[in-house]
Amino acid sequence: MSSPKNYSYAVRALIMAIAAINISYAEQSNNSLELEEVIVTAQKKTESLQDAPISLIAFGSEKLEQLGISDVGDIQGAVPNLSTAPHPSNRNSLTAFIRGVGNADLQITKDPAVGVYLDGVYLGRSAGLTADIADVQAIEVLRGPQGTLYGRNTTGGAISIRSAQADEEFSLKQKFSKGNRGYWRTLTQVNLPITDTVMVRAAFSRSAEDGWVENIGTGKDFGEQQKQALRLAVRWLVSDTLTLDYAFDQSEINGGQLAYQLTHITNPNGAGLAPFSRNTRQSALSVNNLEKSSDDVSGHSLTASWFISDDLTIKSITAYRDLDEFAYQDYSASAHHFSGGAFPSMVASGAEILDTRTDKVQDQISQEIQFLGTLYGKIDYVAGLYYFKEKGREDQLASLNLLALGGFPEIAEEYNEVDASAESLAAFSQFEYTPDLLEQRLHLTLGMRYTNDKREASKYDNLFNNLNGTTVNGEQSSSKFTPSITVAYDLSDDINAYAKIATAYRAGGFNTRGTESRFASGFDPEELLAYEIGSKAELFNRRVRLNLAAFLYEYTDLQVDQSDPVNIIATDTFNAGEAEMSGAEIDLTAVLSRDLLLNASYGYLDANYESFIQYGQEVSNSKNVPSAPQHSYNISLDYARTVSFGELNAALNYSWEDEYYFSSQGVARKDDVGLLGATLGVRNIAMGDGELSVQLWGKNLENKNYAAHEIDWAASGFVTTIFGEPRSFGLDVTLSF
């Protein structure tokens, strides 16, 4: 459970910070210190963060660099009520939950509940989300269902990534990073105006690290990886009213998977593995042969913006993306290491418990047309059409060596091939009306979306060495109207409040790890009804920004995964549940003095199953909503002062997350953890025509021992754990022209 002492420290820190605001305000009342306006695009238009009636956290490029965020997985600690974890079979893929809504398994036949968007393009698969993003301008995290303006299954929320666009000014930036455990990274960004109307921007990054668990066995080290990312953007100002933006991005990751080690024995069936169990992070483990895993993700997009008049803009976003993934995971590192490698000769694949080899390919096309404008000077609107289509294939070979060691070598393997396709078509609109009454302080917003989804899949499953090979097919289709309504009121020029009701749904699909008898029938869509109230305020002459939100969810036909009682790697997905989530978020930004900035965010979540039917039985009282920490918060202090040779800067960051379970069943969980990070450096040192910046950084400075992911192997009687990254530190050197 969470320590009251930690909450006491956090509350004291906030009280002291607010007191410091008042003292500093009294001392410097003649100074016009104000927070910079934060511009977001969460509602498909450019507006102030304070005007968007959404619980939203946005990070600009400078803050992302300060926090060391280079991929989606890095943002978790900075966003309360957002929880991410590496996928069990591939660390390069992330499972994401917002406010307790998400899904723990990632498959070609089911969609994530948290949508990730790159420059307005939906990323259909979560594979490769830990890849570097070479040229990020901003990341916005939208907490809560986004069933109107965002295109695919965003019952949990959305993560929107905006890349830097080519512009009219020449610039060149070169960054070098070096850290412990063999970490290095190089990033090059250049912006080049070719003519008055054609501009090109390019970025390229490469990095490598050794990981934090040495593999004494053969093959890659655990967590060792090499990354590279490329982005090319071209902007053509065709005329005063038409702009074309083309972008190509490509990311690669290669390396070894993270190490699962035995940490707990849960029942007598696992007693034989007790000598190999350790409940703290090991610096060295081993497997027989840790094969290289890889992800290659790329995409093209073309955005056309046609400014017809001051009251109408038409935007077209056309995109194609593809991915190619191979993932190898051996779940036997502890058994192999602490047994001295005694077991491999007894099993075919050389892994004592289980190993999996997964190949995945996917490609997608999407087309979105948006109409943005104003009607009669009182109604701002966004409307459009959206089309998405994907095809994919996923093959997996799983060696069930725990069964082989139990004396059943003839049933030690399962191989399946899955082919899948999905198609979605939607029409959407959102109208914001500001009537003349009440001094135009009232704003009424109506959102509407109609979506039609279709998914087809076939699965060949060869279970237990050809004793049960068969092919099954399935088809799912659904449609849904998802309206939303928001009432907002400007209490003053700097304070507003809002109330909203929103709906969202996630299409049905199939479970590739399911039994043949249930694969073909698949599972149906799930639906979410959300109520939210909030306020956004800028206080003390805009030196303090305080945003609040409270929410209540009614979650029905919940898609839940349930382990097969016979096959330890098989799960079936059922519309087995109803859940209720409630909670709140507080986001505070304050100028404490001319040199000191405070950011503090807090999230509270109460998530419970109202119903959970497991193989015909009501078991909600024994189930936990996964990835739903009750309390989470982040506090950071940023210091910057101009000195004779540049700008001295420092930052201290602390993030806390309560315990939560990784699955609805079993004991696998992440305990309370608080992580401390810091940076110290000097920016803008004059170097001829350029500027030099140097920054020291450290993460998990207290070297906390915590679980990044766990698996409860149920009847097999044990738990395996991936531990999070230990203390890391390094140096960034950046030269800009």
Side-chain angles (χ1 to χ4, degrees):
M1 293 297 294
S2 306
S3 167
K5 189 175 181 181
N6 285 314
Y7 297 135
S8 175
Y9 285 155
V11 171
R12 282 186 219 164
L14 283 174
I15 292 173
M16 292 174 64
I18 293 171
I21 295 168
N22 293 320
I23 294 170
S24 177
Y25 179 72
E27 290 176 346
Q28 304 183 42
S29 58
N30 293 327
N31 295 330
S32 58
L33 299 180
E34 292 184 0
L35 288 166
E36 292 185 5
E37 185 179 24
V38 177
I39 300 299
V40 298
T41 59
Q43 297 194 106
K44 305 286 188 180
K45 60 182 180 180
T46 301
E47 62 183 333
S48 169
L49 170 69
Q50 298 306 101
D51 292 334
I54 298 171
S55 181
L56 167 68
I57 289 186
F59 305 93
S61 57
E62 186 174 314
K63 187 64 175 180
L64 292 170
E65 193 165 327
Q66 182 187 81
L67 294 173
I69 294 174
S70 60
D71 63 61
V72 173
D74 291 333
I75 65 176
Q76 173 181 328
V79 183
N81 278 345
L82 166 67
S83 297
T84 64
H87 188 258
S89 66
N90 188 1
R91 68 172 297 192
N92 302 334
S93 299
L94 287 179
T95 62
F97 286 73
I98 296 179
R99 294 176 172 177
V101 180
N103 50 313
D105 199 0
L106 306 174
Q107 302 177 15
I108 200 72
T109 51
K110 58 168 59 177
D111 296 310
V114 175
V116 179
Y117 297 81
L118 176 61
D119 298 324
V121 177
Y122 171 70
L123 307 184
R125 300 294 108 206
S126 297
L129 285 185
T130 62
D132 272 358
I133 306 170
D135 205 3
V136 181
Q137 182 180 14
I139 295 179
E140 300 173 8
V141 181
L142 288 64
R143 293 178 292 207
Q146 306 298 320
T148 300
L149 295 178
Y150 287 82
R152 293 282 296 156
N153 296 324
T154 49
T155 48
I159 300 173
S160 177
I161 305 164
R162 283 190 284 128
S163 303
Q165 298 296 323
D167 58 40
E168 297 89 347
E169 299 293 328
F170 170 80
S171 64
L172 174 63
K173 178 179 178 180
Q174 179 63 58
K175 180 179 180 180
F176 298 97
S177 303
K178 187 71 176 72
N180 60 330
R181 294 191 295 275
Y183 172 78
W184 63 265
R185 183 175 186 247
T186 177
L187 170 65
T188 305
Q189 298 170 335
V190 60
N191 190 88
L192 184 64
I194 305 299
T195 68
D196 291 341
T197 59
V198 178
M199 306 125 221
V200 177
R201 185 177 180 92
F204 179 73
S205 70
R206 292 189 64 192
S207 65
E209 62 177 331
D210 294 338
W212 53 90
V213 179
E214 182 182 2
N215 179 21
I216 305 299
T218 58
K220 295 283 185 180
D221 280 337
F222 299 105
E224 172 191 343
Q225 66 177 2
Q226 300 81 40
K227 296 183 178 182
Q228 73 173 37
L230 167 69
R231 185 174 188 274
L232 175 67
V234 180
R235 167 163 286 187
W236 179 21
L237 305 178
V238 181
S239 67
D240 292 340
T241 60
L242 178 62
T243 300
L244 297 179
D245 286 292
Y246 165 78
F248 168 75
D249 67 273
Q250 189 263 344
S251 300
E252 292 181 19
I253 316 176
N254 294 280
Q257 295 294 344
L258 300 175
Y260 273 101
Q261 65 176 75
L262 279 163
T263 50
H264 308 290
I265 302 301
T266 58
N267 64 54
N269 292 337
L273 296 172
F276 316 132
S277 177
R278 305 290 189 277
N279 61 8
T280 59
R281 180 178 56 224
Q282 301 297 298
S283 60
L285 292 166
S286 62
V287 294
N288 193 49
N289 180 25
L290 187 61
E291 298 180 26
K292 182 180 74 172
S293 296
S294 63
D295 278 84
D296 189 338
V297 184
S298 62
H300 302 262
S301 68
L302 178 64
T303 301
S305 301
W306 185 16
F307 306 96
I308 295 178
S309 69
D310 292 340
D311 295 329
L312 176 61
T313 298
I314 299 177
K315 179 181 288 188
S316 168
I317 305 174
T318 307
Y320 169 81
R321 301 193 63 81
D322 65 63
L323 72 87
D324 190 344
E325 174 183 274
F326 172 75
Y328 173 79
Q329 180 64 286
D330 189 332
Y331 298 86
S332 313
S334 296
H336 185 278
H337 186 68
F338 295 113
S339 71
F343 295 117
S345 61
M346 302 173 64
V347 293
S349 74
E352 288 80 357
I353 296 175
L354 167 72
D355 62 350
T356 58
R357 292 168 174 83
T358 306
D359 281 289
K360 183 185 295 182
V361 293
Q362 180 257 6
D363 62 76
Q364 65 175 67
I365 59 171
S366 61
Q367 173 64 55
E368 184 167 353
I369 299 177
Q370 301 173 7
F371 301 88
L372 306 94
T374 303
L375 295 173
Y376 312 115
K378 298 178 181 180
I379 301 175
D380 292 334
Y381 69 89
V382 179
L385 299 171
Y386 178 79
Y387 177 75
F388 172 87
K389 185 174 183 179
E390 70 170 334
K391 293 182 178 180
R393 180 184 179 91
E394 182 176 320
D395 305 340
Q396 184 177 85
L397 173 65
S399 298
L400 308 171
N401 296 321
L402 197 63
L403 293 178
L405 291 173
F408 301 96
E410 76 279 4
I411 58 170
E413 284 191 345
E414 179 177 11
Y415 174 74
N416 62 63
E417 300 175 357
V418 176
D419 288 283
S421 64
E423 192 170 21
S424 181
L425 180 64
F428 61 90
S429 61
Q430 180 167 290
F431 299 90
E432 181 183 344
Y433 173 53
T434 302
D436 291 331
L437 68 152
L438 299 174
E439 300 178 329
Q440 295 187 326
R441 293 179 179 272
L442 179 66
H443 310 283
L444 306 174
T445 302
L446 175 65
M448 297 175 287
R449 189 182 194 95
Y450 179 81
T451 305
N452 184 275
D453 286 307
K454 182 179 180 180
R455 168 167 272 125
E456 297 178 348
S458 66
K459 176 183 178 182
Y460 169 75
D461 195 356
N462 183 345
L463 179 63
F464 304 153
N465 289 347
N466 254 341
L467 296 181
N468 199 22
T470 187
T471 298
V472 292
N473 300 282
E475 181 175 322
Q476 281 276 336
S477 60
S478 59
S479 59
K480 189 66 179 177
F481 175 62
T482 51
S484 66
I485 185 168
T486 304
V487 178
Y489 187 76
D490 300 329
L491 300 173
S492 70
D493 290 343
D494 298 320
I495 303 174
N496 62 64
Y498 68 90
K500 67 190 302 182
I501 301 174
T503 57
Y505 102 117
R506 180 158 57 132
F510 308 91
N511 192 325
T512 63
R513 285 174 255 288
T515 53
E516 295 94 328
S517 60
R518 296 189 177 95
F519 177 87
S521 58
F523 51 88
D524 294 328
E526 62 181 18
E527 300 178 15
L528 192 147
L529 174 62
Y531 305 89
E532 181 171 321
I533 58 173
S535 69
K536 298 195 171 185
E538 290 185 327
L539 311 170
F540 301 111
N541 289 342
R542 298 189 176 178
R543 294 184 58 188
V544 176
R545 182 177 295 132
L546 181 63
N547 296 339
L548 311 173
F551 61 90
L552 172 65
Y553 288 175
E554 295 178 0
Y555 203 176
T556 57
D557 294 323
L558 192 62
Q559 299 168 3
V560 291
D561 293 340
Q562 302 180 26
S563 295
D564 185 86
V566 177
N567 184 349
I568 65 172
I569 68 165
T571 59
D572 288 308
T573 302
F574 298 92
N575 296 93
E578 295 181 5
E580 184 174 283
M581 285 90 165
S582 61
E585 287 120 13
I586 303 173
D587 300 317
L588 171 71
T589 304
V591 178
L592 301 184
S593 71
R594 184 174 295 279
D595 306 321
L596 194 60
L597 182 71
L598 167 72
N599 283 280
S601 297
Y602 167 77
Y604 170 78
L605 178 61
D606 181 22
N608 299 284
Y609 288 116
E610 299 294 306
S611 175
F612 194 116
I613 307 299
Q614 178 170 286
Y615 297 105
Q617 300 295 317
E618 173 60 69
V619 294
S620 57
N621 289 336
S622 63
K623 297 297 182 180
N624 298 289
V625 177
S627 298
Q630 188 174 30
H631 302 279
S632 54
Y633 61 82
N634 176 277
I635 300 175
S636 67
L637 286 170
D638 301 339
Y639 175 83
R641 168 165 287 196
T642 301
V643 293
S644 60
F645 51 86
E647 182 185 79
L648 182 65
N649 62 88
L652 193 64
N653 179 78
Y654 183 77
S655 62
W656 171 270
E657 194 170 45
D658 269 7
E659 69 177 14
Y660 63 79
Y661 289 87
F662 287 107
S663 174
S664 61
Q665 56 193 11
V667 299
R669 71 178 189 180
K670 180 177 183 177
D671 288 330
D672 302 340
V673 62
L675 300 178
L676 179 66
T679 62
L680 175 64
V682 181
R683 290 194 292 248
N684 307 329
I685 304 171
M687 297 285 291
D689 294 332
E691 292 181 335
L692 177 69
S693 297
V694 180
Q695 177 175 272
L696 292 166
W697 53 266
K699 301 179 181 179
N700 190 8
L701 292 176
E702 298 174 284
N703 202 29
K704 292 289 185 68
N705 195 62
Y706 66 96
H709 191 264
E710 282 192 345
I711 300 175
D712 184 342
W713 295 86
S716 297
F718 58 91
V719 171
T720 54
T721 303
I722 289 175
F723 283 93
E725 186 172 5
R727 180 189 297 118
S728 60
F729 51 86
L731 173 70
D732 297 336
V733 179
T734 305
L735 186 60
S736 302
F737 295 93

